[in-house]
């Protein structure tokens, strides 16, 4: 789908049946939070996703409903799958932890009040992805993402290490994931 041509959908289709979907950006944020919750099984996540997005509308084809919900969440795009890259990337932003910075960025750049305004998830994502490098949120994300290289001066290395420390996200990996990441770093 093309946002500019087709508009932002307010329903999904499961087996040719139309279902109204909760399209406000807040549902997208809640969905991401749900999918990242390691204390909930996948089957429970899928059940809760249908409940979240479809307000308990009865759906016969559960698997197709989940597929359409993921398609909606991804704004009609295919999931990013970098081929050949097996190293798990640490997240550089969190909708939850960066809520204040994201709010400020939208207010500064677009004069949109994310607390008061209702915005379609697809529009929110388009605006979010287009936030300029000059806003504080993008600067913080840049600090988290930058790779400290040997070619950098010592003062640059120290600066970026300090920025990474100041703006670090909470590490939500399990002990097993931390151990696996450590082993991968040691043994490649």
């Amino acid at each position: 789908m093309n946002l500019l041509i087709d508009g932002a959908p307010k329903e999904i289709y499961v087996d040719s049946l139309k279902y109204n979907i909760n399209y406000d950006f807040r549902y997208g944020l809640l969905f991401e939070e749900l999918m990242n919750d390691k204390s909930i099984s996948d089957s429970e996540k899928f059940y809760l996703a249908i409940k979240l997005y479809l307000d308990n509308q009865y759906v016969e084809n559960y698997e197709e409903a989940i597929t359409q919900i993921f398609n909606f969440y991804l704004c009609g795009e295919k999931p990013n799958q970098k081929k050949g890259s097996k190293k798990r990337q640490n997240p550089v932003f969190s909708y939850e932890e960066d809520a204040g910075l994201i709010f400020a960025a939208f207010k500064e750049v677009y004069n949109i009040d994310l607390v008061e305004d209702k915005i379609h998830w697809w529009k929110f994502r388009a605006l979010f992805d287009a936030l300029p490098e000059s806003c504080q949120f993008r600067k913080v994300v840049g600090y988290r993402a930058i790779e400290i290289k040997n070619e950098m001066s010592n003062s640059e290395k120290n600066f970026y290490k300090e920025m990474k420390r100041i703006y670090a996200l909470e590490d939500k990996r399990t002990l097993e994931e931390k151990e696996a990441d450590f082993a991968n770093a040691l043994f490649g």
Side-chain angles (χ1 to χ4, degrees):
M1 285 187 84
N2 182 319
L3 180 62
L4 298 176
I5 295 170
D6 303 316
K10 296 181 179 178
E11 63 269 329
I12 60 171
Y13 289 87
V14 178
D15 294 336
S16 302
L17 297 173
K18 181 171 85 170
Y19 295 87
N20 293 326
I21 191 163
N22 291 320
Y23 57 85
D24 184 69
F25 78 96
R26 291 165 185 86
Y27 290 95
L29 302 180
L30 290 169
F31 177 77
E32 179 156 315
E33 193 176 304
L34 172 65
M35 292 298 116
N36 288 328
D37 189 335
K38 295 176 182 170
S39 70
I40 302 173
S41 71
D42 285 347
S43 60
E44 183 72 9
K45 286 178 186 181
F46 297 153
Y47 167 78
L48 292 171
I50 289 174
K51 188 175 178 178
L52 173 72
Y53 269 124
L54 302 181
D55 280 335
N56 290 321
Q57 295 174 72
Y58 176 74
V59 178
E60 195 166 310
N61 189 339
Y62 186 78
E63 288 181 24
E64 180 63 16
I66 293 301
T67 298
Q68 293 307 317
I69 286 171
F70 272 101
N71 183 55
F72 179 85
Y73 172 78
L74 296 171
C75 304
E77 303 285 327
K78 299 288 182 221
N80 282 345
Q81 293 181 346
K82 296 178 183 174
K83 293 181 174 128
S85 176
K86 293 184 181 177
K87 184 178 177 186
R88 191 170 62 86
Q89 298 290 323
N90 289 329
V92 292
F93 78 91
S94 161
Y95 288 122
E96 184 177 1
E97 290 182 56
D98 292 324
L101 289 171
I102 295 168
F103 171 84
F106 270 70
K107 190 68 173 161
E108 174 190 347
V109 174
Y110 307 119
N111 198 28
I112 294 173
D113 184 333
L114 292 177
V115 173
E116 300 295 327
D117 297 344
K118 185 173 182 174
I119 302 169
H120 192 287
W121 172 246
W122 288 28
K123 293 176 184 179
F124 171 83
R125 282 303 312 262
L127 294 170
F128 180 83
D129 291 344
L131 286 169
E133 297 296 324
S134 60
C135 71
Q136 183 65 18
F137 170 71
R138 285 287 184 214
K139 289 177 186 177
V140 168
V141 168
Y143 294 144
R144 291 175 184 153
I146 196 163
E147 184 180 338
I148 299 173
K149 299 181 179 183
N150 289 332
E151 303 84 53
M152 294 177 170
S153 69
N154 284 338
S155 63
E156 286 177 312
K157 289 178 188 177
N158 290 336
F159 173 78
Y160 288 122
K161 284 178 184 176
E162 182 65 9
M163 293 300 103
K164 282 179 174 287
R165 186 190 66 74
I166 290 170
Y167 295 114
L169 293 171
E170 180 184 337
D171 190 348
K172 295 184 178 180
R173 295 175 297 164
T174 64
L175 180 60
E176 292 81 16
E177 290 170 330
K178 289 176 186 177
E179 289 172 352
D181 287 346
F182 181 70
N184 285 336
L186 284 178
F187 306 114

